[in-house]
Amino acid sequence: MARLFGTDGVRGLANADLTPEIALAVAASAARVLAEHDRSHRPVAVVGRDPRASGEMLEAAVTAGLTSAGADVLRVGVLPTPAVAHLVSALGADLGVMISASHNAMPDNGIKLFAAGGHKLPDSVEDEIERTLETHDGRPVGAGIGRVHDVADAEGQYVEHLLKVTPNSLKGIRVVVDCANGAASIAAPDAYRRAGADVVAIHAAPDGLNINDGCGSTHLDVLRAAVLEHGADLGIAHDGDADRCLAVDAEGDEIDGDQIMAVLALAMKDSGELVENTLVATVMSNLGLHIAMREQGIALRTTGVGDRYVLEELRSGGFSLGGEQSGHVVLPSHATTGDGLLTALRLMARMAETGRSLRELASVMTRLPQVLVNVRVSDKAAVAAADSVAAAVDEATAELGDTGRVLLRPSGTEQLVRVMVEATSHEVAESTAHRLAEVVSAVH
């Protein structure tokens, strides 16, 4: 049987791959595992969701699963993923369950689990939950069955937390925020306004069906047009569960996660918050980020692709900033997972503090052209390790020297080998990537 948990929880087509039965079983098993680990008290779980229609169904199933295993449920309703993680810690809960498929289309959904303190569950605990999915023994009865409570003003508690950790007023900043008709449709505009910004909110009217539909962090064109139309200083784009943040400057140019991290790293270095003057990013971050950080005296640690690996490195090294090019940015002093709203507030605070435009701040880093080619293969591990492929990568790396980079790796989810090349020009990056892709394709 394939592992149920992927790199970011359980995800699939709602009511087909991810059914109420699976949601109930996962929740019940999670509660049982928690109870086995600590019998000193009755487990308490925070349950939240994004606004997609299937979330209503899955929330009911998750709640039933948890209470059937004797856990009490604190239901917080529609909230961003980082809000649920924060509330697990703030409310002293043992578990958090977020029902969301993030930036995926509306028909998909997912279940993310958080441990006590709001941290992602370790692989070992996820494996234990999977092993006990079919266990039905020892269900509580009577007063042993879990109870359900709705948390009053859960969103307000999260926004208050964000405001407390925003270092200065955003007065003078005009921002357009694209809420992706998702979980941050109320919280993001509210937080930015209360922090002092002049806010124009778009795609902030979720109806259960329109989440991520031509909007949000995967569709920046509408945001770009709105920024220009309203004469805004910047635009902020969130995804469906608001754990990521991308931006657009006043001229309409995209500011990606790497550039956002560069701006925040310098701000935190100036304020003394950047632990060991170190930033954590994945191997997919642009070479331009490496160059910029080196020039600014900031060390850059790289991890495998996926925010869980960034989180692991941040925790093991005690570092204070990390993230991904896709806009997942983590500030461990204030959040246990990627928080798009916290990221946006910090970015705008730097603009307000310095009086500099986002374009000027982001110019600390020059993005090198980056080309990614996905090659479908029959055995991704064997192909990626082939001698002919290794030789071709070495040759291309030597050709590019210090002005470029080659990254070739098997996909974590599909039978694909991903070939990524960066160079000083798009033409060089593209020709090198396609040449390597041909070598990969020729391996049998």
Side-chain angles (χ1 to χ4, degrees):
M1 175 181 167
R3 192 171 190 269
L4 181 64
F5 285 91
T7 56
D8 201 16
V10 182
R11 194 175 292 190
L13 181 61
N15 218 27
D17 304 319
L18 180 56
T19 63
E21 291 83 0
I22 290 175
L24 189 150
V26 168
S29 182
R32 285 192 299 269
V33 167
L34 282 174
E36 286 297 320
H37 284 196
D38 183 357
R39 292 185 173 277
S40 66
H41 65 283
R42 184 158 154 154
V44 176
V46 173
V47 177
R49 63 181 179 88
D50 73 23
R52 66 189 78 212
S54 61
E56 300 162 4
M57 168 187 75
L58 294 173
E59 178 190 55
V62 164
T63 300
L66 290 166
T67 53
S68 75
D72 290 336
V73 171
L74 302 177
R75 203 163 46 190
V76 297
V78 174
L79 278 182
T81 290
V84 172
H86 168 72
L87 289 168
V88 171
S89 176
L91 299 174
D94 305 285
L95 176 70
V97 184
M98 178 64 188
I99 302 162
S100 174
S102 190
H103 61 281
N104 285 28
M106 181 277 294
D108 289 345
N109 217 323
I111 298 173
K112 299 181 185 181
L113 300 180
F114 293 98
H119 298 285
K120 289 198 172 184
L121 286 183
D123 287 350
S124 59
V125 177
E126 290 182 345
D127 291 340
E128 192 175 350
I129 291 170
E130 281 200 36
R131 283 195 301 271
T132 61
L133 279 179
E134 303 302 321
T135 301
H136 302 293
D137 299 334
R139 282 183 174 176
V141 295
I145 295 172
R147 305 296 299 274
V148 182
H149 308 275
D150 290 320
V151 177
D153 196 28
E155 187 171 71
Q157 293 183 51
Y158 170 59
V159 171
E160 285 294 336
H161 159 69
L162 292 175
L163 295 175
K164 285 178 183 175
V165 299
T166 301
N168 51 268
S169 169
L170 307 186
K171 187 175 181 180
I173 300 292
R174 186 169 213 203
V175 59
V176 178
V177 54
D178 186 340
C179 301
N181 290 315
S185 292
I186 296 175
D190 182 37
Y192 304 157
R193 287 191 182 103
R194 290 179 60 190
D198 176 11
V199 180
V200 177
I202 62 175
H203 301 125
D207 62 10
L209 306 177
N210 58 3
I211 187 170
N212 298 323
D213 187 8
C215 56
S217 61
T218 54
H219 299 85
L220 293 179
D221 287 348
V222 180
L223 177 62
R224 184 175 290 113
V227 166
L228 297 175
E229 176 188 350
H230 293 281
D233 297 296
L234 79 161
I236 294 292
H238 296 303
D239 57 339
D241 70 336
D243 64 353
R244 70 170 70 181
C245 166
L246 293 176
V248 168
D249 66 22
E251 288 75 25
D253 291 328
E254 177 184 350
I255 305 297
D256 69 11
D258 285 343
Q259 293 166 292
I260 290 171
M261 286 191 289
V263 173
L264 297 187
L266 288 181
M268 293 173 69
K269 182 185 179 189
D270 288 350
S271 65
E273 295 176 275
L274 193 65
V275 173
E276 294 186 23
N277 280 341
T278 297
L279 170 66
V280 178
T282 78
V283 292
M284 290 299 288
S285 278
N286 195 278
L287 181 59
L289 179 63
H290 292 252
I291 295 170
M293 293 299 93
R294 185 165 61 243
E295 291 175 346
Q296 297 295 327
I298 294 173
L300 183 61
R301 293 205 176 199
T302 56
T303 74
V305 178
D307 66 334
R308 69 163 46 231
Y309 302 114
V310 174
L311 286 163
E312 287 172 5
E313 183 67 19
L314 287 168
R315 292 185 71 181
S316 66
F319 302 119
S320 53
L321 178 64
E324 297 183 281
Q325 192 180 64
S326 60
H328 286 110
V329 176
V330 186
L331 293 110
S333 296
H334 309 301
T336 56
T337 190
D339 189 328
L341 281 71
L342 175 62
T343 302
L345 286 165
R346 282 286 177 134
L347 186 65
M348 290 186 281
R350 181 63 168 175
M351 292 172 63
E353 175 199 13
T354 61
R356 298 167 68 189
S357 69
L358 182 55
R359 172 175 287 240
E360 186 180 358
L361 289 171
S363 68
V364 68
M365 172 190 155
T366 300
R367 278 188 296 189
L368 270 66
Q370 190 177 74
V371 173
L372 176 66
V373 179
N374 293 319
V375 185
R376 189 160 294 280
V377 297
S378 57
D379 185 339
K380 60 188 178 185
V383 171
D387 290 343
S388 60
V389 172
V393 169
D394 289 344
E395 181 182 348
T397 300
E399 288 176 3
L400 293 170
D402 293 335
T403 65
R405 184 168 65 119
V406 175
L407 177 65
L408 187 146
R409 65 182 183 89
S411 165
T413 57
E414 301 175 80
Q415 283 295 343
L416 297 173
V417 171
R418 304 193 191 280
V419 180
M420 190 272 284
V421 177
E422 292 169 335
T424 51
S425 73
H426 180 80
E427 292 75 20
V428 171
E430 188 169 43
S431 64
T432 305
H434 285 288
R435 189 173 82 233
L436 289 170
E438 288 177 6
V439 175
V440 171
S441 297
V443 177
H444 299 292

